[in-house]
Amino acid sequence: MRKIDLKSVIWKEGAYYIAQCLEVDVSSFGKTKKEALVNLQDALSLYYEDVPMPKKAEVNNPMIASIELQHA
């Protein structure tokens, strides 16, 4: 079994915490940060059951940035 190091971001949305993986498009949620991370780990395990390892994008030193978008 191989180990893969994945980075995630967590934020609160309403009553729940959202945990999202930065390298692959997988996210989950929970009532606490810890629960959100445990659920994300479960979701990632299921994701990698169907995807050969490692299929991930490298994300180094991520930062949060805001952009403004105007649309009709």
Side-chain angles (χ1 to χ4, degrees):
M1 186 172 286
R2 286 178 57 191
K3 252 182 145 174
I4 185 168
D5 181 34
L6 300 169
K7 302 201 179 15
S8 61
V9 62
I10 302 172
W11 69 92
K12 189 160 187 176
E13 195 171 295
Y16 295 96
Y17 286 92
I18 311 300
Q20 181 173 0
C21 181
L22 296 175
E23 286 92 357
V24 294
D25 190 20
V26 176
S27 61
S28 194
F29 69 96
K31 291 183 179 181
T32 64
K33 290 179 188 178
K34 184 177 180 178
E35 183 181 4
L37 285 172
V38 167
N39 291 342
L40 178 61
Q41 188 171 18
D42 290 344
L44 286 166
S45 293
L46 292 171
Y47 173 83
Y48 277 110
E49 281 183 1
D50 296 331
V51 175
M53 284 255 227
K55 183 180 178 184
K56 70 171 196 152
E58 288 295 324
V59 176
N60 297 313
N61 302 319
M63 69 178 216
I64 296 175
S66 295
I67 59 171
E68 186 175 306
L69 176 67
Q70 294 182 357
H71 62 91

